[in-house]
């Protein structure tokens, strides 16, 4: 164990923040740390929109499903997969050739690049005493978010991130057992299934205690419930309209 691993192992999602603003210097340092994440072929296919304007955060909170912490956090970051600049580079240097910025592979690269950079930034922020929570709700009404932020063709919001100084101390949420995730030399489905049984018991105890008995469902039940409900089926059409034809 070292300081870096200890920091990572103590990550919690923060949903309540002090009013203290995040300085521009700290914001730039955090995003710069994000930029040092690995990037496929050095394409760096992401951009970040930082929002501090109260009215705009209020609107984003509404678009994210009424999540108050989007409104209340000092800085809200919208992490975007960005193939727009790559297309511009191709048009500059190879205007006569067909290019493939809108393929499924390019889409995957941009989305993964965005996630890697964001997680680097999250660790950097926590090392500086700040807290974060990822906001997948940014995709609930993604076309309106895109319009609000002026996102061009081939740019889409992957997720949001609240950023600020924590005003709460939430407990650690138990993760899957390591043996359910780490497979040596090949995938061991039987072992993974056995580990899920133990994890269900752990999560029942955690959820029961956290909710004072109001919720007691095991993790597998929660995941089954999640998969039984369609979610954000508008994404495919939105991405197509944004130029992601996904060849």
């Amino acid at each position: 164990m070292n300081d870096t691993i200890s920091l990572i192992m103590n990550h919690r999602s923060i949903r309540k923040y002090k009013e203290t603003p995040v300085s521009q210097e700290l914001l730039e340092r955090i995003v710069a740390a994000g930029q040092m994440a690995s990037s496929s072929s050095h394409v760096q296919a992401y951009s970040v929109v930082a929002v501090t304007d109260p009215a705009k955060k209020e609107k984003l909170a509404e678009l994210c499903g009424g999540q108050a912490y989007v409104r209340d956090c000092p800085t809200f970051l919208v992490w975007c997969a960005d193939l727009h600049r790559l297309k511009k580079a191709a048009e500059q240097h190879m205007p006569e050739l067909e290019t493939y910025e809108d393929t499924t592979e390019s889409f995957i690269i941009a989305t993964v690049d965005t996630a890697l950079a964001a997680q680097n930034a999250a660790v950097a922020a926590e090392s500086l005493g700040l807290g974060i929570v990822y906001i997948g709700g940014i995709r609930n009404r993604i076309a309106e978010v895109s319009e609000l932020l002026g996102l061009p063709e081939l740019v889409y919001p992957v997720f949001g991130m609240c950023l600020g100084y924590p005003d709460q101390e939430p407990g650690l949420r138990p993760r899957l057992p390591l043996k359910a995730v780490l497979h040596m030399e090949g995938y061991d489905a039987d072992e993974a299934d056995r580990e899920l049984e133990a994890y269900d018991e752990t999560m029942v105890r955690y959820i029961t205690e956290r909710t004072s008995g109001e919720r007691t469902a095991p993790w597998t039940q929660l995941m089954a419930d999640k998969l039984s409900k369609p979610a954000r089926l508008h994404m495919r059409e939105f991405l197509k309209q944004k130029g992601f034809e996904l060849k």
Side-chain angles (χ1 to χ4, degrees):
M1 187 70 72
N2 58 33
D3 290 346
T4 302
I5 295 176
S6 179
L7 175 72
I8 292 170
M9 296 299 288
N10 280 283
H11 165 74
R12 308 107 190 273
S13 292
I14 300 298
R15 295 177 172 84
K16 186 178 180 182
Y17 300 90
K18 297 177 181 178
E19 294 182 0
T20 309
V22 179
S23 71
Q24 185 69 21
E25 178 186 2
L26 275 188
L27 173 62
E28 291 178 1
R29 192 179 304 173
I30 289 165
V31 174
Q35 287 186 270
M36 295 308 294
S38 298
S39 171
S40 178
S41 301
H42 204 51
V43 297
Q44 304 169 81
Y46 54 86
S47 292
V48 190
V49 180
V51 180
T52 59
D53 177 71
K56 191 166 287 187
K57 285 192 296 171
E58 181 82 44
K59 182 62 177 178
L60 286 168
E62 175 192 336
L63 296 177
C64 289
Q67 299 186 61
Y69 28 94
V70 173
R71 176 196 65 214
D72 297 338
C73 69
T75 300
F76 186 64
L77 303 179
V78 182
W79 290 87
C80 304
D82 186 348
L83 292 168
H84 179 75
R85 70 168 69 93
L86 270 68
K87 182 179 181 181
K88 289 295 184 182
E91 290 173 347
Q92 177 182 348
H93 294 283
M94 300 178 177
E96 74 286 357
L97 296 181
E98 180 181 6
T99 54
Y100 299 92
E101 65 281 340
D102 60 349
T103 64
T104 300
E105 173 66 4
S106 293
F107 173 81
I108 292 172
I109 285 172
T111 303
V112 171
D113 265 19
T114 306
L116 293 175
Q119 187 59 20
N120 248 32
V123 173
E126 290 174 347
S127 77
L128 294 166
L130 287 90
I132 67 101
V133 63
Y134 285 98
I135 305 295
I138 202 77
R139 302 187 301 277
N140 287 357
R141 295 163 66 180
I142 194 168
E144 293 170 81
V145 170
S146 182
E147 182 179 0
L148 179 66
L149 301 180
L151 303 184
E153 182 185 37
L154 291 170
V155 178
Y156 89 94
V158 183
F159 42 70
M161 178 188 286
C162 296
L163 179 67
Y165 292 94
D167 195 24
Q168 62 177 177
E169 283 286 341
L172 291 173
R173 181 175 296 186
R175 283 345 195 218
L176 284 162
L178 187 59
K179 288 184 179 180
V181 175
L182 177 61
H183 301 261
M184 302 302 296
E185 313 301 344
Y187 197 104
D188 188 341
D190 291 337
E191 177 68 19
D193 289 345
R194 285 193 295 272
E195 291 297 326
L196 284 184
E197 294 178 14
Y199 186 55
D200 268 349
E201 294 177 6
T202 298
M203 285 302 295
V204 165
R205 289 193 296 270
Y206 170 79
I207 289 291
T208 301
E209 181 178 347
R210 182 177 178 181
T211 65
S212 299
E214 292 183 12
R215 292 167 54 200
T216 59
W219 182 83
T220 52
Q221 180 64 59
L222 296 174
M223 296 304 102
D225 291 344
K226 180 177 178 61
L227 288 180
S228 70
K229 301 177 180 66
R232 301 175 186 139
L233 298 183
H234 57 266
M235 283 297 302
R236 183 177 181 180
E237 184 59 30
F238 168 79
L239 291 170
K240 185 175 180 180
Q241 292 173 2
K242 272 294 188 180
F244 294 93
E245 293 290 342
L246 304 187
K247 297 182 181 69

